[in-house]
Amino acid sequence: MNIRRIFRLSCLSVMGFFWASCGSDSDTSTSVTGINSGTDPESSSDALLQTSSSAEPNSADAVPESSSSDFPGIGSSDDASSSSSGIESSSSANPFRLARDTSITCSTFQFLEERCPVSSEPYYSCTDLQEFLKKDTTVSQKILDKWEEKLLACGAVHEPETVYGVVYRVCPHYEVTYLKCSDGKNYSFYAEDNGLAYVTEKEYYETHSSSSVAESSSSQPEDLVTNCPQDSFALFVDVLADVQKEVYEKIVKVLDENDTLPEAKKAFLDSIINREEKTLKGNLFPYHSGQYYDLGYVSLKHESNYWFDGYVAKTKTCADGTPETTALYREKYEEILQECLDLINRKLDEE
């Protein structure tokens, strides 16, 4: 009898240890992988981003869908909106003041989202930007630099497009910066200057131009300049045409003054110049040989490291009325000139 009792108690003890072991494994698994565990929200978000951009975000960390009133960009009518939801990745510790209301403080956070090339920012065409630069406007140097930068990339030269088949629109994913502010709203983020955060390009421009400078000295830009009206806007191929004339002069000088030049190299140099026109043979040489027409539609972005598909102003006229070459044109000219000389010297070494 005692033996049976001892045997039954032993079986119960073994079963108890077995179930305790199973319960321990279940608890451990839940504490490691559970979404609603007591882990830090920011570290959970980082982990999701590291493993897969398509993973579902922690419900406590994700920026709400675009239908939510808390979605970035709903703070005002000027704020940007997204084509899809994303994942919040980080937040800044140092707050900015909102330029439109300096009583509001904001911190930045990044949001991974799909963005198609549709923007709420004002669109400036090549013609618009040229008109801006033609005027003697008093404006922030930063805005003036921005106009010149945008004009260089305004899309005056179009890439050939496929005219057959089905083209699917694929929008890339970007880590977009937003503002999380003390008024409880999220705003888009365009730029920061002297601790002030600007929501749109238009807002930034208006507060950096002489006609719209706020009365508060804290928001007044310190780099106001009077733009010397710019003109003679040139495409890449126009700059190349000027470069070719200088290259021609250098080649002629070598042919006329270097008596030790081998015949093969001399023949090559002589074959690429047009003595009658005092330029190179082929209006795209040394990138391409032969004569090309409709140069406003020619793209050399795969041949030149300094290609631009917009315009650069060649001249500016300041208060004394004397036209002079702009600094940006000189910069582009020197870059293209050196690249052309390098290409020709490389071909000359092969002779």
Side-chain angles (χ1 to χ4, degrees):
M1 194 74 172
N2 290 335
I3 293 174
R4 289 181 180 178
R5 184 184 306 170
I6 291 171
F7 179 77
R8 185 169 61 237
L9 291 174
S10 299
C11 290
L12 291 173
S13 298
V14 170
M15 291 177 65
F17 282 123
F18 174 76
W19 289 112
S21 174
C22 292
S24 174
D25 290 344
S26 176
D27 292 341
T28 302
S29 174
T30 302
S31 66
V32 172
T33 61
I35 292 178
N36 294 322
S37 63
T39 56
D40 178 67
E42 292 188 2
S43 63
S44 296
S45 177
D46 288 342
L48 286 170
L49 288 175
Q50 291 170 0
T51 55
S52 172
S53 61
S54 61
E56 289 294 328
N58 186 322
S59 60
D61 300 334
V63 177
E65 297 287 344
S66 58
S67 59
S68 169
S69 61
D70 292 332
F71 184 77
I74 304 302
S76 77
S77 60
D78 290 331
D79 298 340
S81 60
S82 166
S83 60
S84 67
S85 62
I87 302 173
E88 182 180 343
S89 63
S90 63
S91 179
S92 67
N94 299 322
F96 302 120
R97 287 178 297 149
L98 198 61
R100 60 177 58 179
D101 186 348
T102 56
S103 65
I104 298 174
T105 57
C106 306
S107 60
T108 59
F109 68 93
Q110 279 68 49
F111 190 70
L112 187 67
E113 65 182 30
E114 182 183 62
R115 275 207 163 184
C116 296
V118 176
S119 175
S120 60
E121 299 292 348
Y123 169 73
Y124 295 134
S125 67
C126 298
T127 303
D128 292 334
L129 294 163
Q130 289 178 11
E131 291 301 319
F132 293 160
L133 293 172
K134 286 179 180 180
K135 300 176 182 178
D136 58 350
T137 312
T138 299
V139 68
S140 165
Q141 182 65 52
K142 294 178 181 178
I143 292 294
L144 188 57
D145 294 341
K146 182 71 70 175
W147 285 344
E148 293 179 340
E149 177 186 334
K150 285 180 176 291
L151 184 59
L152 274 175
C154 68
V157 180
H158 300 284
E159 290 292 308
E161 297 180 0
T162 304
V163 295
Y164 56 87
V166 179
V167 178
Y168 294 94
R169 189 181 189 188
V170 179
C171 301
H173 284 75
Y174 296 96
E175 195 170 68
V176 183
T177 301
Y178 288 101
L179 297 168
K180 183 178 293 185
C181 300
S182 60
D183 61 353
K185 298 177 181 178
N186 295 337
Y187 298 88
S188 60
F189 177 72
Y190 174 71
E192 180 272 332
D193 191 17
N194 295 325
L196 296 179
Y198 296 87
V199 171
T200 67
E201 180 179 11
K202 180 181 178 182
E203 179 182 73
Y204 182 80
Y205 165 65
E206 287 178 346
T207 56
H208 284 70
S209 63
S210 60
S211 59
S212 304
V213 172
E215 294 181 0
S216 172
S217 59
S218 61
S219 63
Q220 182 173 352
E222 299 177 354
D223 61 344
L224 285 177
V225 296
T226 299
N227 175 48
C228 296
Q230 302 183 30
D231 211 336
S232 300
F233 297 98
L235 294 167
F236 179 95
V237 290
D238 297 322
V239 182
L240 177 59
D242 287 345
V243 165
Q244 285 185 328
K245 294 175 182 177
E246 182 171 345
V247 174
Y248 168 83
E249 293 175 357
K250 290 180 179 296
I251 291 176
V252 169
K253 185 175 182 180
V254 169
L255 289 173
D256 292 346
E257 298 180 4
N258 192 339
D259 297 332
T260 62
L261 191 67
E263 287 299 322
K265 296 183 184 296
K266 185 181 296 186
F268 167 72
L269 290 178
D270 196 56
S271 70
I272 64 175
I273 61 173
N274 185 334
R275 289 184 180 271
E276 183 178 350
E277 300 292 336
K278 296 185 177 180
T279 186
L280 304 184
K281 289 182 180 178
N283 47 15
L284 296 182
F285 194 84
Y287 301 106
H288 291 295
S289 58
Q291 198 73 14
Y292 288 80
Y293 301 95
D294 294 329
L295 290 176
Y297 296 92
V298 173
S299 171
L300 295 176
K301 74 175 184 178
H302 300 298
E303 287 76 25
S304 174
N305 292 323
Y306 306 107
W307 163 257
F308 57 91
D309 67 358
Y311 294 90
V312 58
K314 184 175 182 179
T315 61
K316 64 179 181 180
T317 306
C318 295
D320 62 357
T322 304
E324 59 180 279
T325 304
T326 65
L328 185 57
Y329 185 89
R330 288 198 303 270
E331 176 187 329
K332 294 301 174 185
Y333 181 94
E334 292 297 331
E335 290 172 345
I336 298 171
L337 172 63
Q338 189 58 56
E339 186 173 55
C340 287
L341 292 175
D342 290 341
L343 289 172
I344 292 174
N345 283 327
R346 200 172 302 147
K347 293 178 180 180
L348 191 61
D349 290 338
E350 296 173 358
E351 297 297 328

